[in-house]
Amino acid sequence: MNRKDHLEIEKKIAAEKALTYISSGMIVGLGTGTTAKYFIELLGERVQKGLDITAVPTSDKTASLARELGIKIDTNPRRIIDVDVDGADEIDLNGNMIKGGGGALWRERVVASNSNMVIIIADHTKLVDKLGNFPVPIEISKFMVNSTVRRLKSLSGDCSLRDGGRFITDNGNLIVDCSFRHLNNPAETYRLLKSVPGVIDVGIFLNIATLAILGQVDLSLKTLTFKKNIRA
Ligand code: 5RP
């Protein structure tokens, strides 16, 4: 089996494990990306067999897949989400993450921040000692984009508009990917980037994950639990 196929199996077994946290009556946050897709497909199978849940999708793509599979959608639930299941681009041993590789970071944060439990599913390559190898996705407004990008560049140096500005988020905004190589102080970097006018959200997620389920090379699962779950 080649490496890519192996990683896909790691993602799928992590998604299968996440499914064991879901039961009827729950409101479930649905993430975005290739790993979240496995979870949504498995959830769809369970719904077709009678599982009764309502889902809050983090992107239009996730919403349309969920609808196709017969999963009920509510984008404005009246109570807190029970469990959110999403992927990550990088996660460290404290549960801090870089997210937004799929461009859905803002809705992903809103859903995760309004969930009792946030389960991150991923293959083993996503676990890192230090965040920052993956460029930080930043959602910015189209209005005065040149000025916003200029200010972001002054903070990171290596920033570029995703797809040369052709990538448009579900919220009608743009994504800038800023490369830092190592985030020595992710909280400070988050604060600095978020303070730039025109920035809507920054793909550094701190103190949000409650559990990570990571597929391993030997196809076992590594589970990490994170004590702090302050919505920041
Ligand atoms: C989308 C995300 C995804 O969770 C992240 O990019 C991981 O995706 P994948 O599971 O395809 O590796 O943050 O905005």
Side-chain angles (χ1 to χ4, degrees):
M1 192 189 308
N2 67 33
R3 180 178 153 85
K4 183 166 183 317
D5 289 346
H6 196 279
L7 292 178
E8 293 306 307
I9 296 174
E10 290 184 29
K11 293 177 194 180
K12 192 165 180 191
I13 59 172
E16 278 165 355
K17 179 71 180 173
L19 198 61
T20 64
Y21 289 83
I22 310 299
S23 54
S24 278
M26 282 185 170
I27 302 183
V28 181
L30 299 181
T32 294
T34 55
T35 320
K37 185 168 183 265
Y38 285 120
F39 175 76
I40 299 161
E41 286 168 348
L42 292 165
L43 186 69
E45 284 172 21
R46 291 279 310 280
V47 164
Q48 282 152 28
K49 289 183 187 148
L51 179 77
D52 182 18
I53 56 101
T54 301
V56 186
T58 53
S59 63
D60 293 348
K61 199 169 175 185
T62 286
S64 60
L65 174 63
R67 271 194 210 96
E68 264 171 44
L69 296 169
I71 300 172
K72 263 183 294 176
I73 301 283
D74 183 356
T75 54
N76 192 16
R78 286 178 186 276
R79 65 170 176 86
I80 195 152
I81 295 166
D82 296 288
V83 183
D84 174 38
V85 180
D86 202 347
D89 298 301
E90 285 185 351
I91 182 163
D92 70 14
L93 285 166
N94 296 314
N96 296 325
M97 298 179 279
I98 293 181
K99 285 186 53 55
L105 61 148
W106 182 72
R107 294 191 194 185
E108 288 174 337
R109 186 187 302 280
V110 176
V111 170
S113 302
N114 288 289
S115 298
N116 271 333
M117 184 178 194
V118 178
I119 303 179
I120 299 302
I121 52 175
D123 64 64
H124 78 279
T125 64
K126 303 295 183 73
L127 183 64
V128 296
D129 288 333
K130 206 169 207 177
L131 298 177
N133 193 38
F134 194 91
V136 176
I138 303 169
E139 180 157 357
I140 65 166
S141 164
K142 282 182 188 168
F143 180 69
M144 287 187 63
V145 56
N146 290 334
S147 307
T148 308
V149 171
R150 190 167 50 243
R151 298 209 30 193
L152 288 172
K153 278 186 175 164
S154 75
L155 297 174
S156 138
D158 194 4
C159 289
S160 54
L161 277 168
R162 193 173 291 181
D163 284 350
R166 285 183 299 275
F167 184 96
I168 308 293
T169 70
D170 290 347
N171 315 307
N173 300 312
L174 301 169
I175 297 283
V176 179
D177 294 296
C178 287
S179 183
F180 291 88
R181 275 174 286 282
H182 288 301
L183 291 182
N184 291 320
N185 186 343
E188 178 60 8
T189 306
Y190 172 81
R191 195 192 61 74
L192 272 174
L193 296 170
K194 190 76 197 302
S195 71
V196 173
V199 166
I200 287 151
D201 201 4
V202 175
I204 298 174
F205 284 47
L206 308 173
N207 302 314
I208 283 183
T210 42
L211 178 71
I213 303 171
L214 307 166
Q216 300 297 288
V217 176
D218 63 2
L219 298 185
S220 64
L221 291 169
K222 184 194 277 263
T223 303
L224 303 170
T225 49
F226 310 110
K227 279 199 200 92
K228 47 189 168 41
N229 188 18
I230 308 148
R231 311 287 169 206

